[in-house]
Each structure stands twice: as structure tokens, then as C-alpha cells.
Amino acid sequence: MELSATVIELRYALDTFFFLISGALVMWMAAGFAMLEAGLVRSKNTTEILTKNFCLYAIACTTFLLVGYNIMYVDNSAGGWLPSFGALIGSQAEGADHSLESDFFFQVVFVATAMSVVSGAVAERMKLWSFLLFSVVLTGLIYPIEGYWTWGGGFLAEAGFSDFAGSGIVHMAGAAAALAGVLLLGARKGKYGKNGEINPIPGSNMPLATLGTFILWFGWFGFNGGSQLMLSDFENASAVGQIFLNTNAAAAAGAIIALAVCKTMWGKADLTMILNGALAGLVAITADPLSPSPLAAVAIGSIAGALVVFSIIGFDKIKIDDPVGAISVHGVCGLFGLMVVPLSNPDAAFMTQLFGAAVIFGWVFGASLAVWGILKLTIGIRVSEDEELEGMDLHDCGVDAYPEFVSLK
């Protein structure tokens, strides 16, 4: 009896530790988003984009603790459309195989990831305070409701919708919110000419963008691996190993194929496209990193790596200005990831996946469009032309990211 109790306690401790380490890896992805976006915006907007990424993480952690987690998970055993509002305090279930506080920590960093997707897409022309107010609503209400419908046991879960680690629930949801904001916000000044020409606006720091992508790639092992939820037995430990392998394979394939597409189309190795190719592979495999074989993971990453290049080009052609390619990476490739799940997972069905994707996108896009619209009519969402020209660092933050390049005092 004592030996049995000791084994149970050891498994409890190991699975709790696994949750905490995985959550810490995902939290580190916040640094990845910050560095990636800082590298892909102009130097005059760098401090502002860093401020957004830092503050959105703090906001997400607070709103999900106070409101969001109670909507998404607590006392939501009934299923259906409407979540209940439980209380986080005292919610520890008897017989849990890990600390539910560690589970909360693992879930809250996913919320911040969804909001980080929005940050890059609206960069260089959105008001800081409008963005932060939207962050409160997305992380406290919009995301938790669709999260309840899926991971919280709501009607999409009951229908058989499958999204292992969040290609749709996290990434496509973030892209839907971003798209709604971008449509109301408009493009950056000078991005598109009067005759339809597209004027590239280079980022300020490719080393930072590359570092950010490596950090995201590293953190994704916690994102996907931790979503197995357990490590303390043979089956789950083997599954985590498979997830790590497939996650890495998809990212590598995405980068290689994006490189090949760029070389074929333009004769150049476009670093920004290569970085987004790796991220596209990561997003696509996230819907199910366990079921595919390693070669299938390579195929999924490869298709995503090509898809993201053509998607970024396509959005530019219809004058949807996304400075970092977030809508393509997380939205288009997130949808692709959801739709290929049934190819390797017999428990998933194409129509159910399509239905779930449509519900998630429709809810997040519609709710976000309403919130962005209210903000636009009240406090406004876009900075003035002068502020955009001079840079948002000066007007929103009063701190230059690279002062020696701005002033020679």
C-alpha cells in the first residue's frame, strides 16, 4: 500500500513538473514573438512593439486568472453552447493526476500566444491603448468562450472536433482577431501605390527576427509536447517523444520549402519568408503532432512552407497589410493544419474539422470586428499621419529603441 501511494505521488509530481516546464517553454515564446516582431518593424516603431508584447502577456495572465479560466474550464461539465462561471479558488478536483494550478499556468500562456498573433499584424499604425483594451476583451472573453466550446468540453468537443494543441483554437483564432483589426485599420502609409503597386517596407533588424523565430521554434516543444498532458507512463512518454520529433520535422521542412519557393520565384533567399516557412510548419503540425508519421510531418510542414509564401503574396495583392505575415502563418496555415488531421487520425472527420474551423473563425472574427469597431468609434484605433510618419516610439513611449541612430547628440 505504501509503495503504491509513493508511486502515485511520484507520478503526480512528475506530471506537475512536466506541465510547469512546458508552460515555461510556451511563456518563453512571448520573447520570441517580441523579438520577431521587433525585427520586422521599422526602427522608429520598435519600442512600441516591444511594449505591446510585454504588456499583452501581463494582461492575458491577469484577465484569464480573474475571468477567462472560469469561463473556459471551471465547472463546465454540462457541455453545450453556454459556459458556466465557476470559481478558480477551491476548484482542485479529488483524484487529479497533477496540480491544477500547474494546469492553469499551462493554459494561460496559450492565451497570451493567441493575442501575440494580433500584435504583429496591426503593427506600425495602431494606437497602443486601443490595442491593450482589445487585449483585455480577447483574453478575458472572446478566446475563453471558443476555448470552452473545444477544450472545455462544449459543443465542438461533443461533435468530435479535433485540435490537439491549437492550430485553430489558438493560432487561427489569433489570426481571425488580427484580420478584423487590419480590415478596419487600413494599410500603412506608402505600402500600396495609387496604381496598385506594392512597396516593400523592410524590417529594421534581421538578427532579432531570426533570434525570435529560433525562440518560437524552441518554445513550440512545450506548446505541442505539453499538450499531451502527461509524461509519467510508457505510453505518454513515448507520445511526447513522437510529438517532439514531428514538431521539429515540420518546422525544418517548412523552412526548406519556403527557401526553395523563394529561390524559384525570385532567385533570392528571402530570410523573412524562410522564417515564416518554419513557423508555418509549426502552426500546421500543431493540430495533430502525434498521429502522423515523421515523413507525414515533413509533408505537412513542406506544404505549409509553400502555402505561407503564396498567402503572404496574395494578401498583399488584395491590399491587406500584415507587416509580419501573421495572418498567413497562423490563420491560413492553422486552417490547413486542421483540415489535414483526418489524413492520419481516424477519429477526426473532414466535415467536422471544417465545421469547427468555421465556428471558431466566425466567432472570433465577428466578436473582434465588433470590439474593434466600438474602439474605432470611441477612442479611435489608428494614430495620426504625423505620428505614423515620426514613429510610434516617440509618441506612445517616449523612448527610442536605437537612440544612437536617431540622434547624434
Side-chain angles (χ1 to χ4, degrees):
M1 181 66 71
E2 291 182 2
L3 180 60
S4 177
T6 301
V7 170
I8 292 173
E9 289 177 356
L10 285 173
R11 292 187 62 181
Y12 181 95
L14 179 58
D15 288 332
T16 295
F17 183 71
F18 178 56
F19 258 118
L20 293 173
I21 292 300
S22 297
L25 284 171
V26 180
M27 183 272 174
W28 187 230
M29 290 173 69
F33 278 112
M35 294 300 97
L36 173 64
E37 293 173 18
L40 293 181
V41 300
R42 288 166 288 185
S43 57
K44 63 183 180 180
N45 298 313
T46 304
T47 300
E48 195 265 355
I49 201 76
L50 295 174
T51 302
K52 287 199 302 185
N53 275 275
F54 200 89
C55 291
L56 77 82
Y57 179 79
I59 289 170
C61 291
T62 304
T63 55
F64 198 65
L65 175 67
L66 296 177
V67 181
Y69 187 77
N70 299 311
I71 296 173
M72 190 165 171
Y73 287 111
V74 179
D75 296 330
N76 285 338
S77 59
W81 285 83
L82 295 176
S84 61
F85 287 79
L88 182 61
I89 304 301
S91 64
Q92 184 80 17
E94 291 186 13
D97 52 21
H98 59 270
S99 161
L100 294 191
E101 287 79 8
S102 67
D103 181 84
F104 167 81
F105 175 66
F106 184 68
Q107 296 298 333
V108 75
V109 290
F110 276 58
V111 186
T113 299
M115 190 62 218
S116 295
V117 175
V118 184
S119 174
V122 300
E124 301 204 285
R125 73 273 201 205
M126 173 168 277
K127 290 183 176 180
L128 174 62
W129 291 100
S130 297
F131 175 84
L132 296 180
L133 285 172
F134 179 80
S135 300
V136 173
V137 182
L138 179 76
T139 59
L141 185 65
I142 297 174
Y143 173 90
I145 288 177
E146 59 97 3
Y148 160 69
W149 291 340
T150 49
W151 290 337
F155 77 101
L156 288 181
E158 293 173 333
F161 176 70
S162 179
D163 189 2
F164 185 88
S167 286
I169 297 166
V170 179
H171 295 281
M172 189 182 68
L179 179 61
V182 168
L183 290 177
L184 290 181
L185 193 60
R188 291 168 290 176
K189 295 296 181 183
K191 175 64 178 177
Y192 304 113
K194 294 180 179 179
N195 298 320
E197 65 270 21
I198 301 169
N199 303 312
I201 301 178
S204 62
N205 195 320
M206 289 302 101
L208 268 190
T210 305
L211 174 62
T213 305
F214 269 124
I215 291 172
L216 288 167
W217 191 332
F218 176 68
W220 228 287
F221 295 120
F223 200 97
N224 286 356
S227 295
Q228 182 62 23
L229 307 182
M230 291 183 69
L231 184 70
S232 60
D233 59 35
F234 178 85
E235 181 180 356
N236 283 292
S238 298
V240 172
Q242 179 76 15
I243 290 167
F244 271 52
L245 191 162
N246 285 346
T247 298
N248 193 63
I256 292 169
I257 296 303
L259 168 63
V261 171
C262 291
K263 177 64 176 177
T264 301
M265 293 180 65
W266 303 304
K268 305 289 184 181
D270 186 327
L271 177 61
T272 63
M273 290 294 190
I274 298 168
L275 299 179
N276 277 330
L279 295 176
L282 288 165
V283 170
I285 199 64
T286 292
D288 190 348
L290 177 59
S291 299
S293 67
L295 288 179
V298 168
I300 291 170
S302 297
I303 296 171
L307 183 62
V308 74
V309 176
F310 294 112
S311 177
I312 290 172
I313 295 170
F315 277 118
D316 254 347
K317 286 183 177 179
I318 59 175
K319 298 185 178 181
I320 292 180
D321 184 16
D322 179 359
V324 304
I327 298 170
S328 295
V329 170
H330 302 274
V332 174
C333 295
L335 175 60
F336 167 70
L338 289 176
M339 296 312 299
V340 297
V341 170
L343 296 178
S344 58
N345 187 342
D347 295 327
F350 286 107
M351 292 308 298
T352 305
Q353 294 298 98
L354 183 61
F355 173 66
V359 169
I360 292 170
F361 180 86
W363 160 249
V364 178
F365 179 81
S368 298
L369 193 66
V371 176
W372 288 126
I374 292 170
L375 289 171
K376 185 174 183 178
L377 291 173
T378 52
I379 63 174
I381 60 174
R382 181 159 187 149
V383 299
S384 68
E385 288 191 24
D386 288 342
E387 290 172 338
E388 186 175 350
L389 179 64
E390 294 176 352
M392 299 172 71
D393 288 1
L394 174 64
H395 291 276
D396 279 336
C397 303
V399 177
D400 291 318
Y402 308 106
E404 66 273 23
F405 298 114
V406 177
S407 173
L408 298 178
K409 292 179 181 179

